[in-house]
């Protein structure tokens, strides 16, 4: 059985810039102004690491409270344009096949699930896991290992958009397809087995046949 494991932010949804905006907005409440280029270094990174980094600069509330406030900012900024149409179409196409799909995100589970439900794509996934449900988040392989174990799939394909996520997928021993969304350079994505500019079923079928 084939398992297809999707990252969410930057892969399915154009939310990585939105995360930067949420952090910028929240940190302004503490008198800290940060440029987008600074927060970009945390794309795909465990939110606990980001929280710890800025907690050393200002007196942030605890992690759960911060995530709740960021989630509120993000939720109120989401609309249909945030979904990448190639990903949405591919999710739908794959749902009609015998493959199983999982959503594997570094983001906290509660926020991840809200996003999937808001855009009515949660039903495409047999399993959903957030970064707060493992001891070590991406770039470690733990989150993908747990998802693979849950699906029970023998042949696995991971779809990612960030260097951190790619490293996590490769460390799990899987084939990793990188989607270039224009956030990172091709060189930064080079650890992936293949890099594409657009997702489609033909590419996925070709990879699955090679596994």
């Amino acid at each position: 059985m084939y398992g297809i494991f999707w990252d969410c932010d930057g892969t399915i949804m154009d939310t990585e810039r939105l995360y930067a905006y949420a952090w910028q907005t929240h940190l302004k409440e503490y008198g800290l102004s940060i440029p987008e280029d600074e927060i970009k270094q945390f794309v795909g990174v465990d939110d606990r690491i980001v929280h710890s980094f800025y907690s050393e600069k200002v007196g942030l509330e605890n992690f759960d409270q911060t995530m709740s406030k960021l989630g509120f900012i993000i939720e109120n900024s989401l609309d249909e344009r945030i979904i990448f149409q190639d990903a949405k179409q591919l999710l739908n196409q794959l749902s009609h096949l015998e493959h199983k799909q999982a959503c594997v995100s570094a983001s906290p589970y509660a926020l991840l699930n809200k996003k999937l439900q808001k855009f009515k794509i949660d039903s495409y996934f047999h399993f959903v896991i957030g970064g707060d449900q493992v001891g070590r988040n991406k770039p470690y392989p733990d989150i993908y290992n747990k998802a693979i174990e849950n699906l029970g799939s023998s042949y696995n394909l991971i779809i990612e958009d960030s260097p951190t996520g790619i490293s996590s997928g490769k460390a799990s021993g899987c084939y990793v397809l990188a989607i270039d969304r224009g956030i990172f350079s091709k060189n930064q994505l080079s650890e992936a087995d293949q890099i594409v500019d657009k997702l489609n079923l033909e590419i996925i079928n070709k990879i699955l046949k090679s596994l």
Side-chain angles (χ1 to χ4, degrees), residues 194 201-211:
Q194 184 177 346
L201 187 58
E202 182 181 357
I203 291 170
I204 300 302
N205 283 338
K206 187 175 182 179
I207 293 172
L208 294 180
K209 287 179 182 178
S210 72
L211 298 180

Side-chain angles (χ1 to χ4, degrees), residues 39-78:
I39 199 68
K40 185 178 176 181
Q41 68 181 307
F42 295 115
V43 169
V45 174
D46 189 339
D47 284 304
R48 289 171 289 194
I49 294 174
V50 187
H51 179 268
S52 177
F53 179 83
Y54 285 113
S55 289
E56 293 180 1
K57 295 178 178 292
V58 295
L60 283 177
E61 64 277 88
N62 67 41
F63 176 74
D64 289 338
Q65 290 173 323
T66 299
M67 289 301 102
S68 177
K69 291 181 179 179
L70 291 181
F72 179 80
I73 296 169
I74 291 169
E75 282 181 63
N76 284 278
S77 304
L78 290 173

Side-chain angles (χ1 to χ4, degrees), residues 6 11-12 84-92 181 199:
W6 293 79
T11 300
I12 298 174
F84 288 114
Q85 292 305 303
D86 60 342
K88 186 176 181 180
Q89 181 179 20
L90 183 56
L91 280 165
N92 181 56
R181 299 297 192 191
L199 298 171

